Amino acid sequence: MPLWSRVAHEWQAFWLAIGFLTRIPMLVRIDYSQRLMNQSSTYFPLVGLLLGLVYCAAYFLFSLIASPVVAIILVVILHLFITGAFHEDGLADSVDALGGGYTLEKRLAIMKDSRIGTYGTVALVMALLLKVALLADAELIWLALLVSPAASRLTPLVLMACLPYVTDPDKSKSKPVADGFSRSRLLAAAGFVLLLAAGLSLWQPLLIPATVTAVLLAALLWGGYLRSQLGGYTGDTLGAVVVFSELVLLLFL
């Protein structure tokens, strides 16, 4: 493939990642294909970094007119709006399914149900409360807001590379991302996150080990649990692991 065509292809993959993870309109023409959707996953951490920049700017503006805690809550509300609560929805569906289903078929059926149950509601509320509390307790709030969205969006790529996909491919919007996922692209995404952590280590020297530990710990624990309960992962469980790894990293910060 010529260099220009390759650059144009990656440019489309980047915008497709934005459209997949956020409500931000795609400003370029996309020649959609399953292969392009697959390759777009490389840019998930970059999209997270762009979101982190938005959150940092919003926190600065909100803190001019409100207390730090109120400013953080407003940033979290902004996050839910920009992303359409995409990952939080996956968390609620995953906890409902794994908490209320006693067979694989029942768990997958509950996961596909658009309604939210008690388990999902409790998990969602507690996750959002914990996120606000950890951000408020962070030594450098701006750093936590900047790095956690990028690092946490690396974790689902780890699961995609290590576990099989276990849901109805005709009913899942995540299947094109998961199908044939390239480990070389996982390495590219991981390298990006490590470079970001290294660049920000000037303000937090332990940022690199904290980031690596958060990603691997969430992937290992959640991935191991999914293997035992489902035999693999689904789109909803990928969303859930983003929330989990973000909370673990915020805990370290």
Side-chain angles (χ1 to χ4, degrees), residues 149-169:
S152 62
R153 282 161 180 79
L154 173 63
T155 320
L157 308 189
V158 177
L159 292 187
M160 288 162 59
C162 299
L163 293 177
Y165 189 78
V166 289
T167 194
D168 186 350

Side-chain angles (χ1 to χ4, degrees), residues 55-66:
Y55 301 156
C56 284
Y59 175 74
F60 173 75
L61 294 176
F62 291 146
S63 62
L64 296 177
I65 59 173

Side-chain angles (χ1 to χ4, degrees), residues 117-149:
T118 301
Y119 292 130
T121 300
V122 171
L124 186 57
V125 170
M126 296 309 297
L128 291 174
L129 285 175
L130 183 58
K131 182 175 181 177
V132 170
L134 292 174
L135 282 170
D137 206 34
E139 183 178 353
L140 296 172
I141 295 176
W142 68 268
L143 180 65
L145 288 171
L146 182 63
V147 72
S148 60

Side-chain angles (χ1 to χ4, degrees), residues 42-123:
T42 309
Y43 298 99
F44 285 4
L46 176 57
V47 174
L49 175 60
L50 297 177
L51 289 172
L53 290 170
V54 172
Y55 301 156
C56 284
Y59 175 74
F60 173 75
L61 294 176
F62 291 146
S63 62
L64 296 177
I65 59 173
S67 68
V69 173
V70 173
I72 289 170
I73 293 173
L74 291 174
V75 170
V76 171
I77 293 173
L78 176 65
H79 154 74
L80 295 174
F81 175 76
I82 292 179
T83 63
F86 188 45
H87 305 303
E88 289 77 11
D89 177 67
L91 171 66
D93 287 343
S94 297
V95 175
D96 270 336
L98 295 170
Y102 297 100
T103 65
L104 175 60
E105 292 74 17
K106 183 63 175 177
R107 289 168 188 146
L108 293 178
I110 294 174
M111 207 171 290
K112 294 173 185 175
D113 194 332
S114 60
R115 295 169 295 180
I116 184 172
T118 301
Y119 292 130
T121 300
V122 171

